[in-house]
Amino acid sequence: MAAGATPDRSCALCAGEGGTLLARARNWRVVLADEPDYPAFTRVIWNAHVAEMSELGAADRAELMHVVLTVEETQRAVLVPDKVNLASFGNVVPHLHWHVVARWRDDRHFPEPVWGRAAVGRDAAVEARRNRVAARLPSYLDALRRRLPAGA
């Protein structure tokens, strides 16, 4: 845990994993979110309860961004999306975490953010895309686990 950061028992990311745990190190964890339309939606969560990147020292920021970029690179290599979205909001859960979301032009929300307005008339394409991504999910998870520095 980062210096000065204590767990906040009212914080969902302090109280739980925040998704299906894929990898954990001393400072961070990587989880698969439960997002039905985006089966490879991945979160990189800083373990200590801090809200902003600027609360981390330079080495911790570099470590966190290395993990975020490893997830992005793995999504690009295995899933071959049209775009990868990186987002760190914390408006609802003020605990430092990054969303890494593989995106395709035919997904439910493209070009909007995944939290934005859904496109109309794409149900068949969305289901087909979801099935194709879900079929590649085991390869993505295997590659991700190989690339993340276990126990760092």
Side-chain angles (χ1 to χ4, degrees), residues 14-76:
C14 286
E17 294 293 0
T20 302
L21 185 65
L22 303 177
R24 176 187 293 283
R26 181 175 52 85
N27 290 327
W28 52 264
R29 64 190 181 273
V30 176
V31 303
L32 196 60
D34 181 20
E35 295 289 339
D37 286 334
Y38 302 93
F41 189 127
T42 306
R43 288 186 190 104
V44 179
I45 303 166
W46 193 252
N47 288 331
H49 185 78
V50 297
E52 309 297 345
M53 286 289 291
S54 59
E55 294 180 60
L56 302 180
D60 287 344
R61 285 192 305 263
E63 179 181 354
L64 180 58
M65 291 314 300
H66 174 75
V67 176
V68 170
L69 294 175
T70 297
V71 173
E72 177 191 322
E73 290 167 348
T74 305
Q75 285 187 357
R76 291 182 65 210

CSV table of all heavy atoms in Angstrom, one decimal, residues 14-76:
chain,number,residue,atom,x,y,z
A,14,CYS,N,-11.7,-1.1,-2.6
A,14,CYS,CA,-11.0,-1.5,-1.4
A,14,CYS,C,-11.6,-2.7,-0.8
A,14,CYS,O,-10.9,-3.6,-0.3
A,14,CYS,CB,-11.0,-0.4,-0.4
A,14,CYS,SG,-9.9,1.0,-0.7
A,15,ALA,N,-12.9,-2.8,-0.9
A,15,ALA,CA,-13.7,-3.9,-0.3
A,15,ALA,C,-13.7,-5.2,-1.1
A,15,ALA,O,-13.9,-6.3,-0.6
A,15,ALA,CB,-15.1,-3.5,0.0
A,16,GLY,N,-13.5,-5.0,-2.5
A,16,GLY,CA,-13.5,-6.2,-3.3
A,16,GLY,C,-12.5,-6.1,-4.5
A,16,GLY,O,-11.8,-5.1,-4.6
A,17,GLU,N,-12.5,-7.1,-5.3
A,17,GLU,CA,-11.5,-7.1,-6.4
A,17,GLU,C,-11.8,-6.1,-7.5
A,17,GLU,O,-11.0,-5.6,-8.2
A,17,GLU,CB,-11.4,-8.5,-7.0
A,17,GLU,CG,-10.9,-9.6,-6.1
A,17,GLU,CD,-9.4,-9.4,-5.7
A,17,GLU,OE1,-8.8,-8.4,-6.2
A,17,GLU,OE2,-8.9,-10.2,-4.9
A,18,GLY,N,-13.1,-5.9,-7.7
A,18,GLY,CA,-13.5,-5.0,-8.8
A,18,GLY,C,-13.7,-5.7,-10.2
A,18,GLY,O,-13.8,-5.1,-11.2
A,19,GLY,N,-13.8,-7.1,-10.1
A,19,GLY,CA,-13.9,-7.9,-11.3
A,19,GLY,C,-13.2,-9.2,-11.0
A,19,GLY,O,-12.8,-9.5,-9.9
A,20,THR,N,-13.1,-10.0,-12.1
A,20,THR,CA,-12.5,-11.3,-12.0
A,20,THR,C,-11.0,-11.1,-12.0
A,20,THR,O,-10.4,-10.6,-13.0
A,20,THR,CB,-12.9,-12.2,-13.2
A,20,THR,OG1,-14.3,-12.4,-13.1
A,20,THR,CG2,-12.2,-13.6,-13.1
A,21,LEU,N,-10.3,-11.5,-10.9
A,21,LEU,CA,-8.9,-11.3,-10.8
A,21,LEU,C,-8.1,-12.0,-11.8
A,21,LEU,O,-8.2,-13.2,-12.0
A,21,LEU,CB,-8.4,-11.6,-9.4
A,21,LEU,CG,-7.0,-11.4,-9.1
A,21,LEU,CD1,-6.7,-9.9,-9.1
A,21,LEU,CD2,-6.6,-12.0,-7.7
A,22,LEU,N,-7.2,-11.3,-12.6
A,22,LEU,CA,-6.3,-11.9,-13.6
A,22,LEU,C,-4.9,-11.9,-13.1
A,22,LEU,O,-4.2,-12.9,-13.4
A,22,LEU,CB,-6.4,-11.2,-14.9
A,22,LEU,CG,-7.8,-11.0,-15.5
A,22,LEU,CD1,-7.7,-10.2,-16.8
A,22,LEU,CD2,-8.4,-12.4,-15.8
A,23,ALA,N,-4.5,-10.9,-12.4
A,23,ALA,CA,-3.1,-10.8,-12.0
A,23,ALA,C,-3.1,-9.8,-10.8
A,23,ALA,O,-3.8,-8.8,-10.7
A,23,ALA,CB,-2.2,-10.3,-13.1
A,24,ARG,N,-2.1,-10.0,-9.9
A,24,ARG,CA,-2.0,-9.1,-8.7
A,24,ARG,C,-0.5,-9.0,-8.4
A,24,ARG,O,0.2,-10.0,-8.5
A,24,ARG,CB,-2.7,-9.7,-7.5
A,24,ARG,CG,-2.5,-8.8,-6.2
A,24,ARG,CD,-3.1,-9.5,-5.0
A,24,ARG,NE,-4.5,-9.6,-5.0
A,24,ARG,CZ,-5.4,-8.6,-4.8
A,24,ARG,NH1,-4.9,-7.4,-4.5
A,24,ARG,NH2,-6.7,-8.8,-4.8
A,25,ALA,N,-0.1,-7.8,-8.1
A,25,ALA,CA,1.2,-7.5,-7.6
A,25,ALA,C,1.0,-6.7,-6.3
A,25,ALA,O,-0.1,-6.4,-5.9
A,25,ALA,CB,2.0,-6.7,-8.7
A,26,ARG,N,2.1,-6.3,-5.7
A,26,ARG,CA,2.0,-5.6,-4.5
A,26,ARG,C,1.2,-4.3,-4.6
A,26,ARG,O,0.4,-4.0,-3.7
A,26,ARG,CB,3.5,-5.3,-4.0
A,26,ARG,CG,3.5,-4.5,-2.6
A,26,ARG,CD,5.0,-4.4,-2.2
A,26,ARG,NE,5.9,-3.8,-3.1
A,26,ARG,CZ,6.0,-2.5,-3.4
A,26,ARG,NH1,5.3,-1.6,-2.6
A,26,ARG,NH2,6.8,-2.0,-4.3
A,27,ASN,N,1.4,-3.6,-5.7
A,27,ASN,CA,0.8,-2.2,-5.9
A,27,ASN,C,-0.4,-2.2,-6.7
A,27,ASN,O,-1.2,-1.2,-6.6
A,27,ASN,CB,1.8,-1.3,-6.5
A,27,ASN,CG,3.0,-0.9,-5.5
A,27,ASN,OD1,2.7,-0.8,-4.3
A,27,ASN,ND2,4.1,-0.7,-6.1
A,28,TRP,N,-0.7,-3.2,-7.5
A,28,TRP,CA,-1.8,-3.1,-8.5
A,28,TRP,C,-2.4,-4.5,-8.7
A,28,TRP,O,-1.8,-5.5,-8.3
A,28,TRP,CB,-1.3,-2.6,-9.8
A,28,TRP,CG,-0.1,-3.3,-10.3
A,28,TRP,CD1,1.2,-2.9,-10.2
A,28,TRP,CD2,0.0,-4.5,-11.0
A,28,TRP,NE1,2.0,-3.8,-10.8
A,28,TRP,CE2,1.3,-4.8,-11.3
A,28,TRP,CE3,-1.0,-5.4,-11.5
A,28,TRP,CZ2,1.7,-5.9,-12.0
A,28,TRP,CZ3,-0.6,-6.5,-12.2
A,28,TRP,CH2,0.7,-6.8,-12.4
A,29,ARG,N,-3.6,-4.5,-9.3
A,29,ARG,CA,-4.2,-5.7,-9.8
A,29,ARG,C,-4.9,-5.5,-11.1
A,29,ARG,O,-5.2,-4.3,-11.4
A,29,ARG,CB,-5.2,-6.3,-8.7
A,29,ARG,CG,-6.4,-5.4,-8.4
A,29,ARG,CD,-7.1,-6.0,-7.2
A,29,ARG,NE,-8.3,-5.2,-6.9
A,29,ARG,CZ,-8.3,-4.1,-6.1
A,29,ARG,NH1,-7.2,-3.7,-5.6
A,29,ARG,NH2,-9.4,-3.5,-5.8
A,30,VAL,N,-5.0,-6.5,-11.9
A,30,VAL,CA,-5.7,-6.4,-13.1
A,30,VAL,C,-6.9,-7.4,-13.1
A,30,VAL,O,-6.8,-8.5,-12.7
A,30,VAL,CB,-4.8,-6.8,-14.3
A,30,VAL,CG1,-5.5,-6.8,-15.6
A,30,VAL,CG2,-3.6,-5.9,-14.3
A,31,VAL,N,-8.1,-6.9,-13.5
A,31,VAL,CA,-9.3,-7.7,-13.4
A,31,VAL,C,-10.1,-7.6,-14.7
A,31,VAL,O,-9.9,-6.6,-15.4
A,31,VAL,CB,-10.2,-7.2,-12.2
A,31,VAL,CG1,-9.5,-7.3,-10.9
A,31,VAL,CG2,-10.8,-5.8,-12.4
A,32,LEU,N,-10.8,-8.6,-15.0
A,32,LEU,CA,-11.7,-8.6,-16.1
A,32,LEU,C,-13.1,-8.1,-15.5
A,32,LEU,O,-13.6,-8.7,-14.6
A,32,LEU,CB,-11.9,-10.0,-16.7
A,32,LEU,CG,-12.5,-10.1,-18.0
A,32,LEU,CD1,-11.7,-9.4,-19.1
A,32,LEU,CD2,-12.6,-11.6,-18.4
A,33,ALA,N,-13.6,-7.0,-16.1
A,33,ALA,CA,-14.9,-6.4,-15.7
A,33,ALA,C,-16.0,-7.3,-16.2
A,33,ALA,O,-15.9,-8.1,-17.1
A,33,ALA,CB,-15.0,-5.0,-16.2
A,34,ASP,N,-17.1,-7.2,-15.6
A,34,ASP,CA,-18.3,-7.9,-16.0
A,34,ASP,C,-19.1,-6.9,-16.9
A,34,ASP,O,-20.1,-6.3,-16.4
A,34,ASP,CB,-19.1,-8.3,-14.8
A,34,ASP,CG,-20.4,-9.1,-15.2
A,34,ASP,OD1,-20.5,-9.6,-16.3
A,34,ASP,OD2,-21.3,-9.2,-14.3
A,35,GLU,N,-18.7,-6.8,-18.2
A,35,GLU,CA,-19.4,-6.0,-19.1
A,35,GLU,C,-19.8,-6.8,-20.3
A,35,GLU,O,-19.0,-7.1,-21.2
A,35,GLU,CB,-18.5,-4.9,-19.6
A,35,GLU,CG,-18.1,-3.9,-18.5
A,35,GLU,CD,-19.2,-3.0,-18.1
A,35,GLU,OE1,-20.2,-2.8,-18.9
A,35,GLU,OE2,-19.1,-2.4,-17.0
A,36,PRO,N,-21.1,-7.3,-20.3
A,36,PRO,CA,-21.5,-8.3,-21.3
A,36,PRO,C,-21.2,-7.9,-22.8
A,36,PRO,O,-20.9,-8.7,-23.6
A,36,PRO,CB,-23.0,-8.4,-21.1
A,36,PRO,CG,-23.2,-8.0,-19.7
A,36,PRO,CD,-22.2,-6.9,-19.4
A,37,ASP,N,-21.4,-6.6,-23.2
A,37,ASP,CA,-21.1,-6.2,-24.5
A,37,ASP,C,-19.7,-6.1,-24.9
A,37,ASP,O,-19.3,-6.0,-26.0
A,37,ASP,CB,-21.8,-4.9,-24.8
A,37,ASP,CG,-23.3,-5.0,-25.0
A,37,ASP,OD1,-23.8,-6.1,-25.4
A,37,ASP,OD2,-24.1,-4.0,-24.8
A,38,TYR,N,-18.8,-6.1,-23.8
A,38,TYR,CA,-17.4,-5.9,-24.0
A,38,TYR,C,-16.6,-7.0,-23.2
A,38,TYR,O,-16.1,-6.7,-22.1
A,38,TYR,CB,-17.0,-4.5,-23.6
A,38,TYR,CG,-17.7,-3.4,-24.4
A,38,TYR,CD1,-18.9,-2.9,-23.9
A,38,TYR,CD2,-17.2,-3.1,-25.6
A,38,TYR,CE1,-19.6,-2.0,-24.6
A,38,TYR,CE2,-18.0,-2.1,-26.4
A,38,TYR,CZ,-19.1,-1.6,-25.9
A,38,TYR,OH,-19.8,-0.7,-26.6
A,39,PRO,N,-16.6,-8.2,-23.7
A,39,PRO,CA,-16.0,-9.3,-22.9
A,39,PRO,C,-14.6,-9.2,-22.4
A,39,PRO,O,-14.2,-9.8,-21.5
A,39,PRO,CB,-16.2,-10.6,-23.7
A,39,PRO,CG,-17.1,-10.1,-24.9
A,39,PRO,CD,-17.1,-8.7,-24.9
A,40,ALA,N,-13.8,-8.3,-23.2
A,40,ALA,CA,-12.4,-8.1,-22.8
A,40,ALA,C,-12.2,-6.8,-22.0
A,40,ALA,O,-11.0,-6.4,-21.9
A,40,ALA,CB,-11.5,-8.2,-24.1
A,41,PHE,N,-13.2,-6.2,-21.6
A,41,PHE,CA,-13.1,-5.0,-20.8
A,41,PHE,C,-12.3,-5.3,-19.5
A,41,PHE,O,-12.7,-6.1,-18.7
A,41,PHE,CB,-14.5,-4.5,-20.4
A,41,PHE,CG,-14.7,-3.1,-19.8
A,41,PHE,CD1,-15.5,-2.2,-20.3
A,41,PHE,CD2,-13.9,-2.8,-18.7
A,41,PHE,CE1,-15.7,-1.0,-19.8
A,41,PHE,CE2,-14.1,-1.5,-18.1
A,41,PHE,CZ,-15.0,-0.6,-18.6
A,42,THR,N,-11.2,-4.6,-19.4
A,42,THR,CA,-10.2,-4.9,-18.4
A,42,THR,C,-10.0,-3.6,-17.5
A,42,THR,O,-9.9,-2.5,-18.0
A,42,THR,CB,-8.9,-5.4,-19.0
A,42,THR,OG1,-9.2,-6.5,-19.9
A,42,THR,CG2,-7.9,-5.8,-18.0
A,43,ARG,N,-9.8,-3.8,-16.2
A,43,ARG,CA,-9.5,-2.7,-15.3
A,43,ARG,C,-8.1,-3.0,-14.7
A,43,ARG,O,-7.8,-4.1,-14.3
A,43,ARG,CB,-10.5,-2.7,-14.1
A,43,ARG,CG,-11.8,-2.1,-14.5
A,43,ARG,CD,-12.7,-2.0,-13.2
A,43,ARG,NE,-14.0,-1.7,-13.6
A,43,ARG,CZ,-15.0,-2.6,-13.5
A,43,ARG,NH1,-14.8,-3.8,-13.0
A,43,ARG,NH2,-16.2,-2.2,-13.9
A,44,VAL,N,-7.3,-1.9,-14.6
A,44,VAL,CA,-6.1,-1.9,-13.9
A,44,VAL,C,-6.3,-1.1,-12.7
A,44,VAL,O,-6.6,0.1,-12.8
A,44,VAL,CB,-4.9,-1.4,-14.7
A,44,VAL,CG1,-3.6,-1.4,-13.9
A,44,VAL,CG2,-4.8,-2.2,-16.0
A,45,ILE,N,-6.2,-1.7,-11.5
A,45,ILE,CA,-6.6,-1.0,-10.2
A,45,ILE,C,-5.3,-0.8,-9.3
A,45,ILE,O,-4.6,-1.8,-9.1
A,45,ILE,CB,-7.7,-1.8,-9.5
A,45,ILE,CG1,-8.9,-2.0,-10.4
A,45,ILE,CG2,-8.0,-1.1,-8.2
A,45,ILE,CD1,-9.8,-3.1,-9.9
A,46,TRP,N,-5.1,0.4,-8.9
A,46,TRP,CA,-4.1,0.6,-7.9
A,46,TRP,C,-4.6,0.1,-6.6
A,46,TRP,O,-5.7,0.4,-6.2
A,46,TRP,CB,-3.7,2.1,-7.8
A,46,TRP,CG,-2.5,2.3,-7.0
A,46,TRP,CD1,-2.4,2.9,-5.8
A,46,TRP,CD2,-1.1,2.1,-7.5
A,46,TRP,NE1,-1.1,3.0,-5.4
A,46,TRP,CE2,-0.3,2.5,-6.4
A,46,TRP,CE3,-0.6,1.5,-8.6
A,46,TRP,CZ2,1.1,2.3,-6.5
A,46,TRP,CZ3,0.8,1.4,-8.7
A,46,TRP,CH2,1.6,1.8,-7.7
A,47,ASN,N,-3.8,-0.7,-5.9
A,47,ASN,CA,-4.3,-1.4,-4.6
A,47,ASN,C,-4.6,-0.4,-3.5
A,47,ASN,O,-5.6,-0.5,-2.8
A,47,ASN,CB,-3.4,-2.5,-4.2
A,47,ASN,CG,-3.4,-3.7,-5.1
A,47,ASN,OD1,-4.4,-4.0,-5.7
A,47,ASN,ND2,-2.3,-4.4,-5.2
A,48,ALA,N,-3.7,0.6,-3.3
A,48,ALA,CA,-3.9,1.6,-2.2
A,48,ALA,C,-5.0,2.5,-2.6
A,48,ALA,O,-5.3,2.8,-3.8
A,48,ALA,CB,-2.6,2.4,-2.0
A,49,HIS,N,-5.8,2.9,-1.6
A,49,HIS,CA,-6.9,3.8,-1.8
A,49,HIS,C,-6.4,5.3,-2.0
A,49,HIS,O,-6.1,6.0,-1.0
A,49,HIS,CB,-7.9,3.8,-0.6
A,49,HIS,CG,-9.1,4.6,-0.9
A,49,HIS,ND1,-10.1,4.2,-1.7
A,49,HIS,CD2,-9.4,5.9,-0.5
A,49,HIS,CE1,-11.0,5.1,-1.8
A,49,HIS,NE2,-10.6,6.2,-1.1
A,50,VAL,N,-6.1,5.6,-3.3
A,50,VAL,CA,-5.8,7.0,-3.7
A,50,VAL,C,-6.8,7.3,-4.8
A,50,VAL,O,-7.2,6.4,-5.5
A,50,VAL,CB,-4.3,7.2,-4.1
A,50,VAL,CG1,-3.4,6.9,-2.9
A,50,VAL,CG2,-4.0,6.3,-5.3
A,51,ALA,N,-7.0,8.6,-5.0
A,51,ALA,CA,-8.0,8.9,-6.1
A,51,ALA,C,-7.4,9.4,-7.3
A,51,ALA,O,-8.0,9.3,-8.4
A,51,ALA,CB,-8.9,10.0,-5.5
A,52,GLU,N,-6.2,10.0,-7.3
A,52,GLU,CA,-5.6,10.6,-8.5
A,52,GLU,C,-4.2,10.1,-8.8
A,52,GLU,O,-3.4,9.7,-7.8
A,52,GLU,CB,-5.5,12.1,-8.2
A,52,GLU,CG,-6.8,12.8,-7.8
A,52,GLU,CD,-7.9,12.7,-8.8
A,52,GLU,OE1,-7.7,12.4,-10.0
A,52,GLU,OE2,-9.1,12.9,-8.4
A,53,MET,N,-3.8,10.1,-10.0
A,53,MET,CA,-2.5,9.7,-10.4
A,53,MET,C,-1.4,10.6,-9.7
A,53,MET,O,-0.3,10.1,-9.4
A,53,MET,CB,-2.3,9.9,-12.0
A,53,MET,CG,-3.0,8.8,-12.8
A,53,MET,SD,-2.2,7.2,-12.7
A,53,MET,CE,-0.7,7.5,-13.6
A,54,SER,N,-1.7,11.9,-9.5
A,54,SER,CA,-0.8,12.8,-8.9
A,54,SER,C,-0.5,12.5,-7.5
A,54,SER,O,0.5,13.0,-6.9
A,54,SER,CB,-1.2,14.2,-9.1
A,54,SER,OG,-2.5,14.4,-8.4
A,55,GLU,N,-1.3,11.6,-6.9
A,55,GLU,CA,-1.0,11.1,-5.5
A,55,GLU,C,0.1,10.1,-5.4
A,55,GLU,O,0.6,9.8,-4.3
A,55,GLU,CB,-2.3,10.6,-4.8
A,55,GLU,CG,-3.3,11.7,-4.6
A,55,GLU,CD,-4.6,11.1,-4.0
A,55,GLU,OE1,-4.4,10.6,-2.8
A,55,GLU,OE2,-5.6,11.2,-4.6
A,56,LEU,N,0.5,9.6,-6.6
A,56,LEU,CA,1.6,8.6,-6.6
A,56,LEU,C,2.9,9.2,-6.9
A,56,LEU,O,2.9,10.2,-7.6
A,56,LEU,CB,1.3,7.5,-7.8
A,56,LEU,CG,0.0,6.8,-7.7
A,56,LEU,CD1,-0.1,5.8,-8.9
A,56,LEU,CD2,-0.1,6.0,-6.4
A,57,GLY,N,4.0,8.6,-6.4
A,57,GLY,CA,5.3,9.1,-6.8
A,57,GLY,C,5.6,8.7,-8.2
A,57,GLY,O,4.9,7.9,-8.8
A,58,ALA,N,6.7,9.2,-8.7
A,58,ALA,CA,7.1,9.0,-10.1
A,58,ALA,C,7.2,7.5,-10.4
A,58,ALA,O,6.8,7.0,-11.5
A,58,ALA,CB,8.3,9.8,-10.5
A,59,ALA,N,7.9,6.8,-9.6
A,59,ALA,CA,8.1,5.3,-9.8
A,59,ALA,C,6.8,4.6,-9.8
A,59,ALA,O,6.6,3.7,-10.7
A,59,ALA,CB,9.1,4.8,-8.8
A,60,ASP,N,5.9,4.9,-8.9
A,60,ASP,CA,4.6,4.2,-8.9
A,60,ASP,C,3.8,4.6,-10.1
A,60,ASP,O,3.1,3.7,-10.7
A,60,ASP,CB,3.8,4.6,-7.6
A,60,ASP,CG,4.4,3.9,-6.4
A,60,ASP,OD1,5.2,3.0,-6.5
A,60,ASP,OD2,4.0,4.4,-5.3
A,61,ARG,N,3.8,5.8,-10.5
A,61,ARG,CA,3.1,6.2,-11.8
A,61,ARG,C,3.6,5.4,-13.0
A,61,ARG,O,2.9,4.9,-13.8
A,61,ARG,CB,3.2,7.7,-12.0
A,61,ARG,CG,2.3,8.6,-11.1
A,61,ARG,CD,2.2,10.0,-11.6
A,61,ARG,NE,3.5,10.7,-11.7
A,61,ARG,CZ,4.1,11.4,-10.9
A,61,ARG,NH1,3.5,11.7,-9.7
A,61,ARG,NH2,5.3,12.0,-11.1
A,62,ALA,N,4.9,5.3,-13.0
A,62,ALA,CA,5.5,4.6,-14.2
A,62,ALA,C,5.1,3.1,-14.1
A,62,ALA,O,4.8,2.5,-15.2
A,62,ALA,CB,7.1,4.8,-14.1
A,63,GLU,N,5.1,2.5,-12.9
A,63,GLU,CA,4.7,1.1,-12.8
A,63,GLU,C,3.3,0.9,-13.2
A,63,GLU,O,3.0,0.0,-14.0
A,63,GLU,CB,4.9,0.7,-11.4
A,63,GLU,CG,4.5,-0.7,-11.1
A,63,GLU,CD,4.7,-1.2,-9.6
A,63,GLU,OE1,5.2,-0.4,-8.8
A,63,GLU,OE2,4.3,-2.3,-9.3
A,64,LEU,N,2.4,1.8,-12.8
A,64,LEU,CA,1.0,1.7,-13.1
A,64,LEU,C,0.8,1.8,-14.6
A,64,LEU,O,0.1,1.1,-15.3
A,64,LEU,CB,0.2,2.7,-12.4
A,64,LEU,CG,-1.3,2.7,-12.6
A,64,LEU,CD1,-2.0,1.3,-12.3
A,64,LEU,CD2,-2.0,3.8,-11.8
A,65,MET,N,1.4,2.8,-15.2
A,65,MET,CA,1.3,3.1,-16.7
A,65,MET,C,1.9,1.9,-17.5
A,65,MET,O,1.3,1.6,-18.5
A,65,MET,CB,1.8,4.4,-17.1
A,65,MET,CG,1.0,5.6,-16.6
A,65,MET,SD,-0.8,5.4,-16.7
A,65,MET,CE,-1.0,5.3,-18.5
A,66,HIS,N,2.9,1.3,-17.0
A,66,HIS,CA,3.5,0.2,-17.7
A,66,HIS,C,2.5,-1.0,-17.7
A,66,HIS,O,2.3,-1.6,-18.8
A,66,HIS,CB,4.8,-0.3,-16.9
A,66,HIS,CG,5.3,-1.6,-17.5
A,66,HIS,ND1,6.0,-1.6,-18.7
A,66,HIS,CD2,5.2,-2.9,-17.0
A,66,HIS,CE1,6.3,-2.9,-19.0
A,66,HIS,NE2,5.9,-3.6,-18.0
A,67,VAL,N,1.8,-1.2,-16.6
A,67,VAL,CA,0.7,-2.2,-16.6
A,67,VAL,C,-0.4,-1.9,-17.6
A,67,VAL,O,-0.9,-2.7,-18.3
A,67,VAL,CB,0.2,-2.5,-15.2
A,67,VAL,CG1,-0.9,-3.5,-15.2
A,67,VAL,CG2,1.4,-3.0,-14.3
A,68,VAL,N,-0.9,-0.6,-17.5
A,68,VAL,CA,-2.0,-0.2,-18.4
A,68,VAL,C,-1.6,-0.4,-19.8
A,68,VAL,O,-2.3,-1.0,-20.7
A,68,VAL,CB,-2.3,1.3,-18.1
A,68,VAL,CG1,-3.3,1.8,-19.2
A,68,VAL,CG2,-3.0,1.4,-16.7
A,69,LEU,N,-0.4,0.0,-20.2
A,69,LEU,CA,0.1,-0.2,-21.6
A,69,LEU,C,0.3,-1.6,-22.0
A,69,LEU,O,0.1,-2.0,-23.1
A,69,LEU,CB,1.3,0.7,-21.8
A,69,LEU,CG,1.1,2.2,-21.7
A,69,LEU,CD1,2.4,3.0,-21.8
A,69,LEU,CD2,0.1,2.7,-22.7
A,70,THR,N,0.7,-2.4,-21.0
A,70,THR,CA,0.8,-3.9,-21.3
A,70,THR,C,-0.5,-4.5,-21.6
A,70,THR,O,-0.7,-5.3,-22.6
A,70,THR,CB,1.5,-4.6,-20.1
A,70,THR,OG1,2.8,-4.1,-19.9
A,70,THR,CG2,1.5,-6.1,-20.3
A,71,VAL,N,-1.6,-4.1,-20.9
A,71,VAL,CA,-2.9,-4.5,-21.2
A,71,VAL,C,-3.4,-4.1,-22.6
A,71,VAL,O,-3.9,-4.8,-23.4
A,71,VAL,CB,-3.9,-4.1,-20.1
A,71,VAL,CG1,-5.4,-4.4,-20.5
A,71,VAL,CG2,-3.6,-4.7,-18.7
A,72,GLU,N,-3.1,-2.8,-22.9
A,72,GLU,CA,-3.5,-2.3,-24.2
A,72,GLU,C,-2.8,-3.0,-25.3
A,72,GLU,O,-3.4,-3.4,-26.3
A,72,GLU,CB,-3.2,-0.8,-24.3
A,72,GLU,CG,-3.5,-0.2,-25.7
A,72,GLU,CD,-2.9,1.2,-25.9
A,72,GLU,OE1,-2.9,2.0,-25.0
A,72,GLU,OE2,-2.5,1.4,-27.1
A,73,GLU,N,-1.5,-3.2,-25.2
A,73,GLU,CA,-0.7,-3.9,-26.2
A,73,GLU,C,-1.2,-5.3,-26.4
A,73,GLU,O,-1.2,-5.8,-27.5
A,73,GLU,CB,0.8,-3.9,-25.8
A,73,GLU,CG,1.4,-2.5,-25.9
A,73,GLU,CD,2.8,-2.4,-25.2
A,73,GLU,OE1,3.2,-3.4,-24.5
A,73,GLU,OE2,3.5,-1.4,-25.5
A,74,THR,N,-1.6,-6.0,-25.3
A,74,THR,CA,-2.0,-7.3,-25.4
A,74,THR,C,-3.4,-7.4,-26.1
A,74,THR,O,-3.6,-8.2,-26.9
A,74,THR,CB,-2.1,-8.0,-24.0
A,74,THR,OG1,-0.8,-7.9,-23.4
A,74,THR,CG2,-2.5,-9.4,-24.1
A,75,GLN,N,-4.3,-6.4,-25.8
A,75,GLN,CA,-5.6,-6.4,-26.5
A,75,GLN,C,-5.3,-6.2,-28.0
A,75,GLN,O,-5.9,-6.8,-28.8
A,75,GLN,CB,-6.4,-5.3,-25.9
A,75,GLN,CG,-7.1,-5.6,-24.6
A,75,GLN,CD,-8.1,-4.5,-24.1
A,75,GLN,OE1,-8.3,-3.5,-24.8
A,75,GLN,NE2,-8.7,-4.8,-23.0
A,76,ARG,N,-4.4,-5.2,-28.3
A,76,ARG,CA,-4.2,-5.0,-29.7
A,76,ARG,C,-3.6,-6.2,-30.4
A,76,ARG,O,-4.0,-6.5,-31.6
A,76,ARG,CB,-3.2,-3.8,-29.9
A,76,ARG,CG,-3.9,-2.5,-29.4
A,76,ARG,CD,-3.0,-1.3,-29.6
A,76,ARG,NE,-2.7,-1.1,-31.0
A,76,ARG,CZ,-1.6,-0.6,-31.5
A,76,ARG,NH1,-0.6,-0.2,-30.7
A,76,ARG,NH2,-1.4,-0.5,-32.8
